[in-house]
Amino acid sequence: MTAQAIIQSLASGLLMGLLYGLIAVGLALIFGLMDVTNFAHGEFLMIAMYLSFFLFAFFAIDPLLSAPLVAAAMFVFGAVVYLLVVRFAMRAKANAGMVQIFTTFGLAILMRGLAQFFFTPDYRSIPQSWAGGKTVSVAGIFLPEPQLIGAAVSIAAFAGLYFFIHRTDFGRALEATREDPGAVALVGIDKNRVFAFGWGLGAALVGLAGAIMAVFFYIYPDVGASFALIAYVTVALGGFGSVFGAFAGGIIVGLVEATTALLLPPSLKSVGIYAVYLLVVFIRPRGLFGSM
């Protein structure tokens, strides 16, 4: 094992970690805002990937170009899911937490079943893309262009989210609603509007990730399941409700996954992720950056 091979693996892990962080940030945002875990988060990713595929198949729009369109569509979808489904689940008087869990879990099963019915279980892919199959060489290290672009988009999206939350009035309304949903009503803030916007924003972020990943991943109804599991671990590792923690956790997960693949067979690369997660749980149960 040469130094170049190690650097190559870590560079690839960093790029994928940034994408993992982008997927997980939306999940952390929703949990931090409402204390609700969206178990349909992986299916949101799947829908975004299918949107990118069909925009390419019917209108010849490259996934990298259609990413803002997919994000906008997913924003609307996320807000509608909250208004039509989650809002009513949150009104439960008894076992509210379990009601919310089974509601989003049931939504995930429904979305996956509908995808299998309408799109069939067949694997699909985007055969041609501006960046598909291309690499950039930096000091002998080869970086795939789709992952490189995805990493840049992830950093830009996180920077934009940070600016929005901390520098805009609506972002401050998000923070205030997270702190005390009851009190914000006294100053004229509609918490349902804020929650709907939060769900839309979380879905838009995962929509960006899905559009980019459609370039280099197969698209099928179950594609979101494995990435959702990584997203849950990433959020727990970084700290539930911490947007920065989710993004940092994604980078850690990507690097750990790449390191594990160097030491163990590729089929066991997830072992390192869950081992690190269990270690963090034992030492710091609230996550690396959580305050709960």
Side-chain angles (χ1 to χ4, degrees), residues 21-36:
L22 182 59
I23 296 171
V25 159
L27 187 65
L29 178 67
I30 292 172
F31 183 89
L33 183 63
M34 302 170 55
D35 282 341
V36 173

Side-chain angles (χ1 to χ4, degrees), residues 53-273:
F53 173 80
F54 287 119
L55 285 172
F56 177 83
F58 292 111
F59 302 104
I61 304 177
D62 191 272
L64 299 179
L65 188 62
S66 68
L69 300 176
V70 172
M74 291 303 298
F75 178 91
V76 175
F77 180 73
V80 169
V81 165
Y82 170 76
L83 292 172
L84 297 184
V85 180
V86 180
R87 178 163 60 107
F88 297 99
M90 293 182 65
R91 294 178 180 177
K93 301 300 182 182
N95 297 320
M98 294 302 296
V99 171
Q100 293 161 12
I101 288 172
F102 282 112
T103 297
T104 57
F105 187 72
L107 178 64
I109 295 174
L110 175 63
M111 291 172 63
R112 202 178 306 175
L114 290 175
Q116 290 177 346
F117 179 78
F118 287 108
F119 308 144
T120 75
D122 296 342
Y123 283 59
R124 302 170 189 263
S125 63
I126 294 175
Q128 295 178 340
S129 174
W130 293 343
K134 298 178 181 177
T135 58
V136 174
S137 178
V138 180
I141 305 301
F142 295 94
L143 305 175
E145 280 193 16
Q147 285 93 323
L148 198 59
I149 294 172
V153 170
S154 299
I155 294 171
F158 178 74
L161 179 65
Y162 182 87
F163 177 84
F164 174 79
I165 291 176
H166 295 282
R167 296 290 186 270
T168 67
D169 291 339
F170 205 95
R172 295 186 186 98
L174 281 175
E175 287 288 293
T177 306
R178 183 177 70 171
E179 293 294 330
D180 194 336
V184 294
L186 300 176
V187 294
I189 296 176
D190 183 353
K191 72 174 183 179
N192 280 319
R193 181 186 173 198
V194 173
F195 287 162
F197 188 90
W199 271 76
L201 190 56
L205 291 168
V206 81
L208 275 178
I212 295 165
M213 292 172 64
V215 176
F216 56 93
F217 268 98
Y218 283 111
I219 305 164
Y220 57 99
D222 291 334
V223 67
S226 58
F227 290 107
L229 187 58
I230 291 176
Y232 300 142
V233 170
T234 299
V235 171
L237 181 66
F240 279 104
S242 171
V243 171
F244 173 78
F247 194 71
I251 296 173
I252 294 171
V253 165
L255 292 173
V256 170
E257 183 181 55
T259 303
T260 306
L262 282 174
L263 303 175
L264 299 175
S267 60
L268 299 177
K269 64 181 181 179
S270 296
V271 170
I273 298 173

